[in-house]
Amino acid sequence: MWVKCTAILRYNRNFRFVQLRQLSQLDAKANDNADSKMQAWQINSYGGIQELQLNKVTIPVLSNPNDVLVKIDASSVNPIDVAMINGYGSKVLNLMRQAKGCCGKPYSDIEFPLTMGRDFAGTVVSKGHGVDKFKVGDEVWGVIPVEQQGCHSNFVVVNSCLTNLRPQNITYIEAASILYAGLTAWSALYYTGGLCYKTVFPTQSNKQILVLGGSGGVGTLAVQLLKAWRMQVVTTCNTDATDCLYKLGADTVIDYTESDADAKIIAEGPYDIILDCANVGPEVVKSKKYPHHNYITLNSPLLKNIDEHGLVLGAVKNIGDLLKQNIPSDEIKSFVKWGFFAPSPTGIKTIQEFVESSKIVPVVQEVFPFRELPEAYKKVQEGHLRGKIVIDMR
C-alpha cells in the first residue's frame, strides 16, 4: 500500500492509416500491429463488480478535429465508476449519448459494452487537425465526461479542451488521481457554492467552510482548493486522518468518532457553506443543528429519481425534493443545494495552476496494476478511503 499526502470531421481511410502508423511507432505492443486492438475493462450489463470483463477491443478512432487519442499510463477509480456499473444514471446518460450523435439507435446499441474511468494521465499518440496545443508524444492529463466511453483501457479518445500538459512536478500516478475528484469539488464550491464571486473579490474571502469527510478523494481536494482561495476550513474525519488533513492546510480538524464532535462542529460555526463529502445528508445536518447558510451534497437524488420513475415523473420528483428540503425553518435558515462533477476547462486550468504551485498536492492511498482493476473497484466500494485509488497502466 502506498499512502501519500502529497475531444465532425469525417476522416477517410488514409487518415486512419496515418493514425495507426503513429500508434505503432509509439507503442507497438499496445497497438498489437496486426489488428490494432487494445485491452479494456468493460461491462455488458449492469449488476456490480462481477460484470467487469477484460476485453480485447478495437482502438478508438478520432471523429472530431479537436480530439486527441491518448495512450493511458494511469487512471483512478472513482465512486461514480462503481455506481455506474450498478446502473446509476443509465437513463439520463443514454439520452445524452443519443443526443451526441447516436440518434435513431436503440439504447442497447450505444450503451454496451461500456468502459468506465473518468480521469487519466497518458501520452498523446494522435490528434485531430484542429489541435494545436499538443504534439504527438506529449505527456498529458485529462478528464472524460460521464456519458462517454472511459479510460480504464489502453487508449482513449477525448476532446483536447479537457486535456492539458501534465504538471511536471508530480508523477503520472499522482496526476491520474486528481482531476475527477478535483473538478467535483471545484464545481460544488465554485459554482454551486457561489465561491466564483467570493474568490474574485478579496474582501469576500476568509469565509468559514465545513467539509464533512475531508479525508476522501473529493474531500482532500476540497480542503486544498478552499485554502488556495483563502478560506477558513473546518473538516471532519476519522482519527487516523487528522494529521494528513492538517498537513493539507485545514485550520481545524475534528475527529467525528469523539463523543463531543458535534459540540465542536457547532462551536466552530457558523459556516457559510457545509460541503458534504461523506453523504451525511441534509436531514442529519439540520437535526444536529450545525449553524450554516448553505448545505451542498454530492449525492443528489436527481439521477436516481429519473432511473426509478422515468424522465417526466423523475423530474417532477426532483423539483419536489429540492423544494421540500428548502422549506424555511425558524430554527435554521439555510439552503440545500446539489453539487455535481463538471468537465470544465476553466476548472482544469485552476487546478493545474494550484498543482504547479504546490497549493494542491495529490493524495494517493493505493496503486493497483491494470490486471487487478476489479480489486481496486472493491476497495472504492468499501469506502473510508484516505485519498484516491489509482490504476497503473504501464
Side-chain angles (χ1 to χ4, degrees):
M1 179 177 290
W2 173 31
V3 179
K4 186 174 182 180
C5 278
T6 64
I8 287 193
L9 188 66
R10 292 188 179 92
Y11 291 101
N12 57 26
R13 294 179 179 177
N14 290 332
F15 183 82
R16 177 167 174 78
F17 173 75
V18 172
Q19 176 182 321
L20 295 180
R21 183 174 59 188
Q22 290 173 332
L23 282 170
S24 65
Q25 289 172 345
L26 214 93
D27 195 328
K29 289 184 179 179
N31 190 38
D32 216 9
N33 281 330
D35 53 6
S36 306
K37 298 289 186 178
M38 69 173 186
Q39 289 187 314
W41 282 98
Q42 299 179 319
I43 62 170
N44 288 288
S45 63
Y46 300 119
I49 295 173
Q50 69 276 5
E51 300 296 332
L52 285 166
Q53 298 178 0
L54 185 58
N55 297 329
K56 194 173 185 180
V57 300
T58 302
I59 293 172
V61 180
L62 299 175
S63 60
N64 187 295
N66 296 315
D67 283 348
V68 288
L69 178 66
V70 178
K71 178 184 178 296
I72 305 300
D73 291 326
S75 177
S76 76
V77 180
N78 292 282
I80 188 65
D81 298 312
V82 178
M84 285 176 63
I85 64 175
N86 287 288
Y88 173 75
S90 58
K91 290 184 178 180
V92 172
L93 297 179
N94 281 329
L95 287 173
M96 294 173 68
R97 293 173 188 129
Q98 282 200 324
K100 284 193 170 184
C102 300
C103 297
K105 291 186 177 182
Y107 286 166
S108 58
D109 289 347
I110 62 176
E111 188 170 14
F112 300 115
L114 183 60
T115 305
M116 305 301 169
R118 296 301 118 201
D119 46 4
F120 63 86
T123 305
V124 175
V125 296
S126 184
K127 63 192 186 80
H129 294 315
V131 179
D132 296 322
K133 67 177 184 178
F134 301 131
K135 62 180 182 297
V136 172
D138 280 344
E139 294 182 333
V140 297
W141 68 340
V143 70
I144 303 168
V146 292
E147 75 276 8
Q148 296 181 15
Q149 291 287 2
C151 54
H152 289 163
S153 56
N154 295 133
F155 296 87
V156 73
V157 168
V158 61
N159 194 292
S160 59
C161 74
L162 299 178
T163 308
N164 277 352
L165 292 173
R166 172 167 66 82
Q168 291 303 295
N169 59 328
I170 58 175
T171 68
Y172 72 99
I173 293 289
E174 295 169 333
S177 73
I178 294 175
L179 283 181
Y180 183 86
L183 287 171
T184 302
W186 174 85
S187 173
L189 294 165
Y190 193 73
Y191 287 136
T192 310
L195 293 187
C196 51
Y197 303 108
K198 296 176 178 64
T199 56
V200 171
F201 304 104
T203 57
Q204 291 297 310
S205 63
N206 207 35
K207 296 293 183 179
Q208 183 96 324
I209 315 292
L210 171 62
V211 179
L212 296 173
S215 61
V218 177
T220 54
L221 288 159
V223 167
Q224 295 180 84
L225 277 170
L226 289 165
K227 292 311 299 179
W229 286 329
R230 306 183 305 280
M231 305 293 169
Q232 291 294 309
V233 180
V234 178
T235 187
T236 65
C237 66
N238 206 331
T239 310
D240 64 331
T242 56
D243 289 344
C244 177
L245 286 171
Y246 274 123
K247 290 178 181 178
L248 294 179
D251 297 287
T252 302
V253 181
I254 299 173
D255 182 350
Y256 65 76
T257 67
E258 295 181 351
S259 59
D260 61 344
D262 288 337
K264 289 181 178 179
I265 292 172
I266 292 170
E268 291 291 337
Y271 305 100
D272 186 66
I273 295 171
I274 294 179
L275 178 63
D276 188 354
C277 301
N279 197 20
V280 172
E283 295 83 6
V284 173
V285 168
K286 287 185 178 181
S287 70
K288 292 178 179 292
K289 299 183 179 181
Y290 295 166
H292 66 284
H293 302 294
N294 298 281
Y295 166 87
I296 302 174
T297 176
L298 303 177
N299 292 275
S300 85
L302 192 151
L303 296 182
K304 182 181 179 181
N305 282 339
I306 294 176
D307 286 339
E308 294 179 353
H309 303 286
L311 188 60
V312 176
L313 291 179
V316 171
K317 192 172 190 312
N318 283 327
I319 295 172
D321 286 347
L322 194 58
L323 291 175
K324 180 179 66 176
Q325 291 175 344
N326 285 285
I327 294 175
S329 167
D330 292 334
E331 294 181 355
I332 298 179
K333 293 180 173 61
S334 64
F335 294 96
V336 174
K337 302 178 180 180
W338 299 343
F340 301 93
F341 159 75
S344 166
T346 301
I348 294 174
K349 179 182 178 182
T350 298
I351 293 170
Q352 177 132 7
E353 290 173 352
F354 287 158
V355 170
E356 290 176 339
S357 62
S358 298
K359 292 180 179 179
I360 287 180
V361 295
V363 183
V364 177
Q365 174 172 326
E366 191 169 357
V367 181
F368 288 80
F370 185 48
R371 65 181 179 275
E372 295 179 11
L373 179 138
E375 294 301 315
Y377 273 63
K378 291 178 183 177
K379 193 78 173 181
V380 173
Q381 187 176 53
E382 292 169 359
H384 303 288
L385 298 177
R386 302 294 176 258
K388 292 297 295 295
I389 300 298
V390 177
I391 306 300
D392 191 348
M393 311 281 285
R394 286 186 177 179

